[in-house]
Amino acid sequence: MSRIKRNDLTIYDNVADLWWSDSVRWVRTLKNLVPGRLKWFDRHIDWAGKNVLDLGCAGGFMAEALTKKRAYVSGIDPATEAIAAARSHAAQSGLEISYDVGVGEDLPYADASFDAVVCVDVLEHVEDLTQVMAEIARVLKPDGTLLYDTINRNPLARLAAITFAEDILRLLPQGTHDPELFIRPAELTDIMEKVDLCVGPSTGLGPRGINRRGDLIFGPFPSRAIIYMGLAQKPGASGVV
């Protein structure tokens, strides 16, 4: 039996032409996560008129949702074909979104460019987490907000995200995640503090029901043991949040 490649990011380009078709179950799972995330994110930020970076935007699910909330959105992702799909769908939908191909470790934006950075389903995939967080802090404006989610690192999270989600239920392709890259909340807090971000509240993210297609519906969840989401802020000009 061949060894499964872990943290396989080619999966996003492989389904780029079907990203918005609703025909691929695991892509629908990613789409279904967006409203669940926004149920909590929306409590902490008014998107209207904000310059927002969707870091790791893939085919554009979150970017389009935020644009419909009247944010000015830029999206960036290393998956070239997924970015092409995102651009095409935005154009077809009459949405003005700026998309770029690039990585979180080297963002092609000036200092203090964004009021908010959204980084979901990304941090557990990057090569250099500290460098990504430093770049996020750099491109945030003073008083800017980072909103994120990621996967905890513990046996329960590995069981849920790898054994069940990938191997048994096939909610994601096998090899999507490398459990060694999962991040404990305390580790992420330490890194954010090192790059001078002020850590804010966090909560869990998990299944809250099933829709008519048999797909999971997601939302805020009491436990952070598997997936957790949260926010951090860049201090203002006075050095305080």
Side-chain angles (χ1 to χ4, degrees):
M1 183 182 295
S2 61
R3 184 181 177 87
I4 296 172
K5 179 183 177 183
R6 291 292 175 191
N7 197 37
D8 183 5
L9 304 185
T10 64
I11 62 172
Y12 301 101
D13 278 334
N14 291 343
V15 297
D17 58 336
L18 300 172
W19 194 262
W20 288 92
S21 70
D22 279 346
S23 63
V24 182
R25 187 185 185 195
W26 73 263
V27 178
R28 295 201 308 270
T29 299
L30 298 183
K31 187 177 183 181
N32 292 341
L33 279 160
V34 171
R37 290 163 170 148
L38 290 176
K39 282 183 181 179
W40 192 78
F41 289 171
D42 288 352
R43 302 174 191 173
H44 301 281
I45 186 170
D46 178 3
W47 302 103
K50 297 287 197 307
N51 289 315
V52 180
L53 175 63
D54 182 6
L55 173 53
C57 62
F61 291 146
M62 178 64 79
E64 292 206 4
L66 295 178
T67 300
K68 291 174 182 178
K69 290 180 178 289
R70 296 184 292 128
Y72 301 105
V73 180
S74 298
I76 188 167
D77 199 283
T80 304
E81 296 302 318
I83 286 291
R87 287 174 176 154
S88 176
H89 193 267
Q92 293 170 14
S93 304
L95 300 175
E96 294 188 13
I97 302 172
S98 175
Y99 285 113
D100 296 297
V101 176
V103 297
E105 289 87 350
D106 186 19
L107 294 175
Y109 310 110
D111 296 356
S113 294
F114 299 100
D115 300 294
V117 174
V118 176
C119 191
V120 294
D121 189 26
V122 172
L123 298 177
E124 69 273 16
H125 294 288
V126 301
E127 292 185 5
D128 188 334
L129 180 58
T130 299
Q131 178 61 22
V132 170
M133 297 304 297
E135 279 290 273
I136 289 171
R138 181 184 66 79
V139 302
L140 276 173
K141 296 178 181 179
D143 294 318
T145 303
L146 164 66
L147 302 113
Y148 67 88
D149 73 32
T150 193
I151 303 176
N152 206 335
R153 190 173 75 254
N154 57 54
L156 179 60
R158 181 170 184 149
L159 179 69
I162 305 293
T163 304
F164 282 102
E166 293 187 17
D167 299 339
I168 297 175
L169 300 179
R170 300 299 173 95
L171 297 177
L172 295 167
Q174 285 186 296
T176 298
H177 294 105
D178 181 348
E180 298 303 315
L181 296 178
F182 293 170
I183 310 162
R184 295 188 181 103
E187 294 170 343
L188 188 56
T189 292
D190 286 345
I191 292 172
M192 289 191 289
E193 290 177 345
K194 285 178 182 177
V195 300
D196 296 324
L197 292 175
C198 298
V199 180
S202 63
T203 190
L205 174 65
R208 307 294 292 185
I210 299 176
N211 65 20
R212 294 179 180 178
R213 298 189 71 162
D215 296 335
L216 292 173
I217 299 169
F218 297 89
F221 201 70
S223 172
R224 300 188 303 165
I226 300 173
I227 305 176
Y228 61 99
M229 52 185 171
L231 63 88
Q233 281 191 292
K234 184 174 181 176
S238 64
V240 298
V241 175

